[in-house]
Amino acid sequence: MEPRNLNRRDFLRVSGLTAGMALATACAGAAPAPAEPTPAPAEPTPVPAEPTATTVPTAEAAPVSKYSEAPSLAAKVAAGELPPVEERLPSDPMIVECLEEPGEYCGDFRRCNTNITDIADYNTQVRESLVRWDYRSGQLEVVPNLASSWDISDGGATYTFHLRKGVRWSDGEPFTADDILFWYEDIALNEELTPAFPSWLTVGGQPVVIEKIDDYTVAFKFARPYGILLEFICFSGSQFIVPKHYLSQFHPKYAESGALEKAVKEAKFEHWYELFANRNVCYTNPELPVLYAWVLETPADTGRLVAVRNPYYWKVDTNGKQLPYFERFVTELAQEGEVVLMKAIAGEVDFQYRHMGFANYSVLKENEDKGNYTVLEWVGGGHPCVYVNQSYPDLPLREILQTKEFRHALSYALDRESMRDLFFNGVGTPGNPPSRKTDYFWKEGFGQTAVEYSVDKANELLDQIGLDQRDGDGWRLRPDGQRLQLLLECYPSEMGSPAIDIFSQVAAYWRDVGIEAQAKEMERSLWSQRALGNECMMPSYSCSPVVWEVDPIWYVPYANSCYWAPAFGQWVASGGTSGEEPPEALKQLVEWYEELKSEPDRNKRLELGSKILEHHSEQVYMVGTVTIDITPTVAKNDLVNILKKAPADYRSLHEALTWLFQVWRRSA
């Protein structure tokens, strides 16, 4: 492969790029944040802090007399179109002590993405659940949200949540325990809507039982203690916050059969559950009531998503102003990532790291004055790696891929220092997964097995495991006499440099030790289909999760989305009814994870999580290249209450960690 000449190395080095995590504060009603951020430790870990008590105190209600609202809503009140703000807020609204200072009402908050799937990122930015992430201490902490408090009992097997009384959906209807019971009884337990009960609400092989105690109290009861339920709710809990009063019209248990059949036909669906699922999407259905700060007005499929201020939003600042500050949340649709980048440079993006990319760091920095923005260094970014598929259907090849010494040989064959200079401007940490130093399960030495560049060691290991025979062209032969061929499959993406460039270089290193390897780029949906369908020999992607315990497929074969063992993950997820039964070593990972999931003692969870990562560190199921811990994040200079540095990760909900409902624009 022709070396790719990059000229940003010196710029990046003199800019003093660091991968350390700095403190940035967010705030919540139950525990006010200090007015000024407190400096974080040198290497804070962005992971959930252990709750200090089984009961979290209810937030103090703001004085009703001090409530105020946006001019647009005040005008509707004056016109008789809305009730007064005091009647729209709950009795104990969440009081948000702003990151820097309380704000003023302002216009549009602007983002830009590339397709309908990307625009679904809107849901990540605005979602709400019973509890949420807070980053005021330099760690991800769980704080109250729709639940003002909770109790943990039965040794950690029962969680009782106390909902904020008086919270209303965006159409003014009350949010109560009945909405959560509707999701549980009529969605999660309905096999047409939910063929497989959510694994994250299953412990000890038994799904949760959700009970209504009263209109504002629900209990989640598990067969065994559930040590990480709160963290899971921060990540996935928005799915059970649904409006029963609206969605029941599309459910056969509640709707008149003739009317429902007519609605299904008019919407051009074949089954009621297709219509139901279609109506339960917040970025395509403007009629869906939500509890978000903004309510969809213009659907994403028009090319420009527009959401407007929710008049019933249930949070206020410390001055009694109903949030959010921004009138509208607007996401433009662009044809490709380069267009998103150009819009950011032109100052048309307010706060975003999606499609900015480490590869564009220098050009973003060079245009800060032009675009009136600052490039923040959020912590994250890709770790390009090759997933060695342990369940690949070609059985003779699978036997090779399952051989630890083979994977170690592949790792020894990579010159990561050269790759760091070639693709990452001399920045980053060479190594393999697992995880990152910023993960509290990580220990010194993890990810460093077989990372020394040694063609001699690679060749020696390959010869030792029976791959010492070569054909007339010098390529190694499999034990069955066929040429050993490896195919690295990726899709177009930036991982500091184009993915295809990185993985083509990896393939070139493997050719140097006699393995006929090549990299192939394909359209993303085709790549996903092949990877999840167990058709990829070596899915080539990134591994960069923090808080991976709420998304275990990276290190545990827990579903077919486990790229390094999809058929084994499918077997685990289906309870053995589909996929293939994994070998004992991988079953052990599942057992450790199940123990971790149900363990109420944090120290024991740390031990179990470290066991999982230690196994990966030794086995090298993912052959890594270089970890980049910098995610360039564009933030307009006139925005207030933006986290300056925080985890850039899906599991911590991307930029939503900064709590967009308390962000505002300072006028000139």
Side-chain angles (χ1 to χ4, degrees):
M1 186 187 85
E2 187 72 18
R4 187 168 183 267
N5 294 322
L6 302 175
N7 58 12
R8 299 186 300 274
R9 177 177 178 180
D10 291 340
F11 176 84
L12 289 170
R13 283 180 168 166
V14 300
S15 296
L17 301 185
T18 62
M21 189 90 69
L23 167 73
T25 34
C27 37
E36 294 296 331
T38 303
E43 283 195 5
T45 42
V47 295
E50 190 76 354
T52 57
T54 58
T55 301
V56 177
T58 302
E60 180 183 352
V64 173
S65 61
K66 293 185 178 180
Y67 292 155
S68 59
E69 61 194 338
S72 62
L73 299 183
K76 291 184 177 182
V77 172
E81 299 174 13
L82 280 176
V85 63
E86 292 86 354
E87 297 178 18
R88 303 197 310 268
L89 288 169
S91 58
D92 63 336
M94 180 173 172
I95 304 173
V96 178
E97 185 171 336
C98 294
L99 180 62
E100 296 170 328
E101 58 181 294
E104 303 295 334
Y105 294 118
C106 45
D108 289 354
F109 179 82
R110 304 164 301 168
R111 288 173 64 86
C112 187
N113 277 308
T114 59
N115 55 43
I116 188 68
T117 302
D118 272 356
I119 284 190
D121 165 70
Y122 163 75
N123 181 48
T124 301
Q125 299 300 324
V126 300
R127 68 174 69 174
E128 301 283 0
S129 193
L130 299 181
V131 297
R132 71 178 301 133
W133 294 127
D134 180 13
Y135 195 62
R136 74 167 63 98
S137 66
Q139 295 186 12
L140 291 176
E141 297 179 332
V142 178
V143 297
N145 200 46
L146 282 167
S148 58
S149 65
W150 60 86
D151 304 302
I152 305 173
S153 57
D154 298 333
T158 298
Y159 288 70
T160 303
F161 293 95
H162 306 281
L163 309 182
R164 295 183 188 276
K165 295 181 180 179
V167 171
R168 295 180 180 274
W169 293 95
S170 54
D171 61 357
E173 291 295 316
F175 164 68
T176 69
D178 288 333
D179 294 304
I180 296 175
L181 263 290
F182 174 74
W183 175 84
Y184 172 64
E185 295 175 349
D186 300 314
I187 299 178
L189 293 179
N190 186 294
E191 293 185 356
E192 289 184 285
L193 281 172
T194 312
F197 193 85
S199 61
W200 70 274
L201 286 171
T202 302
V203 178
Q206 298 296 316
V208 66
V209 174
I210 301 179
E211 296 179 356
K212 173 184 175 180
I213 308 302
D214 58 40
D215 285 347
Y216 295 101
T217 311
V218 291
F220 286 58
K221 297 183 176 181
F222 297 91
R224 289 166 49 182
Y226 195 174
I228 55 175
L229 174 64
L230 297 177
E231 290 83 355
F232 258 113
I233 291 178
C234 287
F235 177 52
S236 300
S238 63
Q239 65 181 253
F240 58 69
I241 307 299
V242 295
K244 176 181 179 179
H245 69 281
Y246 172 78
L247 290 175
S248 57
Q249 66 181 304
F250 308 113
H251 198 294
K253 178 178 175 180
Y254 302 92
E256 192 276 321
S257 60
L260 182 55
E261 289 175 4
K262 181 181 178 182
V264 171
K265 185 176 181 179
E266 289 178 349
K268 299 181 180 180
F269 291 110
E270 294 185 9
H271 306 286
W272 72 268
Y273 52 83
E274 295 173 316
L275 174 63
F276 186 99
N278 175 267
R279 295 298 185 262
N280 192 27
V281 180
C282 73
Y283 54 89
T284 59
N285 180 15
E287 297 178 359
L288 178 70
V290 296
L291 299 176
Y292 305 158
W294 296 275
V295 185
L296 183 69
E297 181 179 70
T298 304
D301 56 9
T302 63
R304 185 173 188 256
L305 181 149
V306 179
V308 298
R309 183 191 307 280
N310 177 1
Y312 291 91
Y313 196 53
W314 40 278
K315 297 177 184 176
V316 298
D317 68 13
T318 51
N319 292 330
K321 281 189 174 182
Q322 185 186 28
L323 298 172
Y325 293 121
F326 275 103
E327 186 74 20
R328 302 197 307 173
F329 186 113
V330 179
T331 302
E332 301 287 351
L333 184 66
Q335 292 183 339
E336 57 186 4
E338 286 295 318
V339 176
V340 179
L341 178 66
M342 291 302 103
K343 284 182 173 291
I345 290 173
E348 299 174 18
V349 172
D350 281 321
F351 180 57
Q352 183 169 326
Y353 62 68
R354 192 170 183 85
H355 300 297
M356 300 301 106
F358 179 77
N360 301 312
Y361 186 92
S362 61
V363 69
L364 286 168
K365 288 291 293 183
E366 291 163 2
N367 287 276
E368 281 182 321
D369 290 341
K370 174 184 175 182
N372 189 30
Y373 61 78
T374 298
V375 179
L376 306 176
E377 294 176 10
W378 275 39
V379 180
H383 185 170
C385 62
V386 177
Y387 292 81
V388 184
N389 187 354
Q390 299 298 286
S391 61
Y392 191 63
D394 181 333
L395 296 184
L397 181 56
R398 179 193 291 187
E399 185 176 352
I400 296 172
L401 300 179
Q402 288 184 344
T403 302
K404 178 179 70 173
E405 291 77 11
F406 175 73
R407 300 190 298 272
H408 284 193
L410 296 182
S411 184
Y412 279 124
L414 300 188
D415 185 352
R416 293 176 175 84
E417 292 292 342
S418 293
M419 294 185 74
R420 180 164 62 173
D421 287 341
L422 181 60
F423 299 116
F424 310 110
N425 303 287
V427 177
T429 304
N432 296 314
S435 202
R436 296 174 177 269
K437 292 182 179 180
T438 47
D439 183 346
Y440 68 176
F441 295 117
W442 187 90
K443 290 184 178 180
E444 194 67 38
F446 282 4
Q448 295 303 302
T449 299
V451 297
E452 172 192 352
Y453 175 49
S454 176
V455 172
D456 290 341
K457 286 185 179 180
N459 281 321
E460 181 181 350
L461 285 174
L462 293 171
D463 290 344
Q464 286 177 358
I465 61 175
L467 299 175
D468 53 334
Q469 300 301 307
R470 304 197 182 211
D471 63 15
D473 295 323
W475 298 113
R476 292 182 183 273
L477 300 176
R478 301 176 356 179
D480 60 5
Q482 294 187 40
R483 181 179 291 181
L484 177 58
Q485 296 175 315
L486 301 181
L487 180 62
L488 292 64
E489 298 182 46
C490 65
Y491 64 83
S493 61
E494 286 284 338
M495 299 181 180
S497 288
I500 186 61
D501 290 358
I502 296 169
F503 295 121
S504 292
Q505 183 62 59
V506 170
Y509 286 133
W510 291 346
R511 289 195 296 270
D512 288 343
V513 293
I515 300 172
E516 187 178 28
Q518 61 176 328
K520 181 179 181 180
E521 185 179 72
M522 62 188 65
E523 191 268 332
R524 181 172 184 170
S525 62
L526 176 59
W527 180 89
S528 295
Q529 177 183 333
R530 288 180 53 77
L532 302 185
N534 199 40
E535 298 173 11
C536 282
M537 181 191 307
M538 290 185 159
S540 300
Y541 182 50
S542 177
C543 180
S544 58
V546 294
V547 201
W548 61 266
E549 67 268 34
V550 301
D551 192 16
I553 53 92
W554 301 98
Y555 302 115
V556 182
Y558 216 60
N560 68 335
S561 51
C562 172
Y563 298 130
W564 55 275
F568 298 151
Q570 184 179 4
W571 185 89
V572 172
S574 68
T577 61
S578 61
E580 294 186 54
E581 184 174 357
E584 290 303 315
L586 301 193
K587 286 183 180 179
Q588 179 65 74
L589 292 178
V590 176
E591 291 176 11
W592 283 336
Y593 177 69
E594 290 292 353
E595 289 182 44
L596 182 155
K597 187 175 175 182
S598 63
E599 177 55 61
D601 185 282
R602 185 186 187 194
N603 289 330
K604 291 180 180 178
R605 291 203 302 270
L606 288 173
E607 293 175 6
L608 290 163
S610 294
K611 279 186 178 181
I612 293 171
L613 296 191
E614 183 177 19
H615 178 84
H616 270 272
S617 183
E618 171 59 27
Q619 292 293 324
V620 192
Y621 297 122
M622 294 166 263
V623 181
T625 55
V626 176
T627 301
I628 302 299
D629 262 334
I630 299 170
T631 296
T633 303
V634 167
K636 291 287 288 185
N637 292 330
D638 54 6
L639 293 187
V640 185
N641 297 333
I642 291 289
L643 288 171
K644 300 304 186 289
K645 188 169 287 189
D649 194 276
Y650 171 49
R651 282 140 292 273
S652 54
L653 305 186
H654 297 309
E655 301 96 328
L657 187 57
T658 209
W659 292 18
L660 299 179
F661 47 78
Q662 54 97 55
V663 175
W664 56 285
R665 190 186 310 281
R666 196 186 302 277
S667 59

